[in-house]
Amino acid sequence: MRILLIEDHTRLAGFIRKGLKAARFNVDLATTGLSALEDVGRVRYDAVILDLGLPDMDGLDWLSQIRALDIKTPVLILTSRVQLQDKVVGLNAGADDYLTKPFEMDELIARLHALLRRPLPTLGQTL
């Protein structure tokens, strides 16, 4: 399974990448929203882990852009924004799951597995 991790905090990105690799995920790292848009446009990812606090754009703007392009890749928001309203906004913007920092690696991996068990909608299918 190939995951795009969008996280600008170097140490945290390394920790997440190491944990996901130990769980047998292939992980590509993007540290900016722009580079992540380029990556998701050229590579088919099984899931995306998205931090909302990116240096060049808000993660919610990034999410809106890929959803507008009809990219249906499951997106798990991983952020320090912990308020209920933040979660509601993120999920309503098109995220498939929302996990707050700090987090446990086992929970992140379990949530990724849960997302990956869901079938993607096919063309013409109504949800």
Side-chain angles (χ1 to χ4, degrees), residues 19-93:
L20 293 177
K21 284 186 175 194
R24 300 178 189 247
F25 288 101
N26 294 315
V27 182
D28 292 342
L29 175 63
T31 58
T32 67
L34 185 57
S35 65
L37 283 172
E38 292 170 0
D39 291 344
V40 81
R42 66 179 166 75
V43 177
R44 187 191 175 282
Y45 290 101
D46 296 294
V48 173
I49 299 171
L50 172 63
D51 180 25
L52 296 181
L54 301 173
D56 60 342
M57 71 173 61
D58 187 273
L60 291 175
D61 293 334
W62 185 90
L63 181 58
S64 294
Q65 288 183 43
I66 69 154
R67 294 303 189 227
L69 295 171
D70 204 31
I71 296 173
K72 298 188 183 324
T73 305
V75 174
L76 184 153
I77 291 175
L78 181 62
T79 184
S80 56
R81 297 182 193 173
V82 299
Q83 299 298 316
L84 174 61
Q85 187 59 31
D86 295 322
K87 295 174 188 178
V88 170
V89 168
L91 292 167
N92 285 337

Side-chain angles (χ1 to χ4, degrees), residues 25 105 122:
F25 288 101
M105 184 59 67
T122 58

